[in-house]
Structures are given as structure tokens and as C-alpha cells.
Amino acid sequence: MNDFLLDRTSIPGVVLAGGRSSRMGRDKATVLLNGRTLLERVVEQLEPQVNTLAVNADAAPQNCRHSFIPDIVPGKAGPMAGIHAAMAYGATLGGVTHVVTVSVDSPFFPGDLVDWLAAAIDAPDKIAIASSEGRSHPVFGLWPVVLADELASWIVTDEKRRVLDFLLRHDVTEVAFPLRPTRASLLDPFFNVNTPDDLAEAERWLKVLV
């Protein structure tokens, strides 16, 4: 019988905000959605769910009161480099087995994300990632800090750096999240803002949230 119990009160959170933002044409963290930046909105959503919070980005965000953690693996190595930085950050805190990551471009993610992911963890090296409508969202995940060194090595040696390839090496549970009711229709809670058109759609969703 597995008697591992995740300490729900010790989970740190990291907002992944270090992407290239090539399709948006500017830093997505600073993009305004109804007068507030995406970073502000995501931080506000994650903060009540975690013990402490940090932002992974290329440079310290302006007017951000939380810790700033850059990628450790050089060369803009993609989202897994941000996840690695989050793991390494969690490992420095003491008494932490897992760290949760979220993406800065998804302002509608669930307010109970961490509770759902944490409920799926029954081993110190288990990974839990979010999914919706049959699609996985690995950047919304609960990651064991003990895998930090292995992930760093994988990033620099794996040519394709596909997230799925790393996940296949480990014990992973996908946690399915329901669509979010609105006054118009159902919203995928992991809707992400990649382009100006997506931003306009996010503005429309914001107006019909219940």
C-alpha cells in the first residue's frame, strides 16, 4: 500500500512567462486583457492556490512583487526549460516535493487547479498534468522536484524536446477538467491567448463569465 501523502500546504507555484510570443508579436505577459495584464490575471488566479509564487521569464517583470526565476538551461529551450526552472526553484524551498506550473497566456484556468492535481499524486515522483476535451495541457502540471536534474539532462540531449517524450519516461496522471459555464456557451478553461485574434476572443469570453 502506498502511504505517500502530498503536503498540500507546501506546494509552490510558478507562472511560465518566458515564451517567445512570436505569434503575438510582443511579450504576452504584458498584454492587456480588459485593462489588466495577462500576468496580473494569472498571478491573481494562482496565488490563493499555492504556498508561495514565482514568475519564470527572461527578465524580471515590471511591478511584480513575486520572485523572478529565469531559465537555468540556456538557449531558449522551450517550455520544459521553464518547468525545469520551476522544479529547481521548488527544490530550494525545503520540505517541497512538487511544484505546480501554469502558463501566462491562459487567464481562465480553474481556481481549483492545484487541488485537483494534488489529489492525483500518490508518490513522490509522480507527475499530474491537466487535460480538457481530450487534450493534455502539460504546462499546467504538478511536477516532482526530484526530477530536476534528469529533466535538465533531457533538455540538452534530446533533439526534439517533445514534452510527451519526457512524460512517457515517468509515472503520469492526466486530470480531466470540465468546461467552464458562461452566459454564452462552454469555455475551455485552458483557452490560451497566442495571437491578437485570440486576445479579442478572450475579451469576448470575459464579458460572459458567470
Side-chain angles (χ1 to χ4, degrees):
M1 180 177 177
N2 194 318
D3 58 359
F4 175 79
L5 182 63
L6 177 62
D7 182 1
R8 172 68 184 79
T9 65
S10 72
I11 298 173
V14 175
V15 179
L16 303 178
R20 296 180 185 274
S21 301
S22 55
R23 286 186 285 171
M24 180 61 70
R26 53 195 169 113
D27 182 5
K28 283 191 282 188
T30 64
V31 167
L32 293 177
L33 174 59
N34 194 30
R36 300 177 63 211
T37 68
L38 290 178
L39 179 59
E40 288 172 330
R41 290 183 176 278
V42 169
V43 163
E44 183 181 74
Q45 187 79 333
L46 181 60
E47 192 168 29
Q49 303 187 50
V50 294
N51 175 268
T52 186
L53 189 148
V55 178
N56 165 246
D58 294 334
Q62 288 187 348
N63 303 319
C64 182
R65 57 187 173 84
H66 297 285
S67 300
F68 155 64
I69 54 170
D71 287 353
I72 299 170
V73 179
K76 295 288 287 185
M80 292 305 281
I83 290 170
H84 168 257
M87 287 180 180
Y89 164 72
T92 68
L93 299 177
V96 169
T97 63
H98 288 73
V99 59
V100 68
T101 58
V102 303
S103 177
V104 75
D105 62 8
S106 297
F108 306 121
F109 72 89
D112 54 0
L113 173 80
V114 179
D115 284 339
W116 280 49
L117 294 179
I121 298 294
D122 57 10
D125 59 351
K126 189 165 192 174
I127 301 169
I129 62 171
S131 69
S132 61
E133 291 196 295
R135 293 181 56 224
S136 61
H137 308 286
V139 290
F140 289 87
L142 198 52
W143 303 88
V145 301
V146 295
L147 298 183
D149 289 344
E150 180 188 342
L151 178 54
S153 177
W154 177 84
I155 291 170
V156 299
T157 58
D158 190 280
E159 293 182 0
K160 295 181 180 179
R161 294 176 182 162
R162 293 187 302 190
V163 177
L164 178 60
D165 290 343
F166 182 79
L167 293 176
L168 288 173
R169 299 157 57 115
H170 297 285
D171 183 11
V172 180
T173 293
E174 281 199 13
V175 179
F177 286 81
L179 298 183
R180 181 174 176 177
T182 76
R183 291 192 298 274
S185 58
L186 296 175
L187 166 65
D188 186 336
F190 302 103
F191 172 87
N192 58 318
V193 180
N194 281 320
T195 67
D197 286 344
D198 292 336
L199 181 61
E201 185 175 349
E203 294 276 5
R204 292 192 290 271
W205 280 118
L206 203 58
K207 294 176 181 177
V208 297
L209 291 182
V210 293

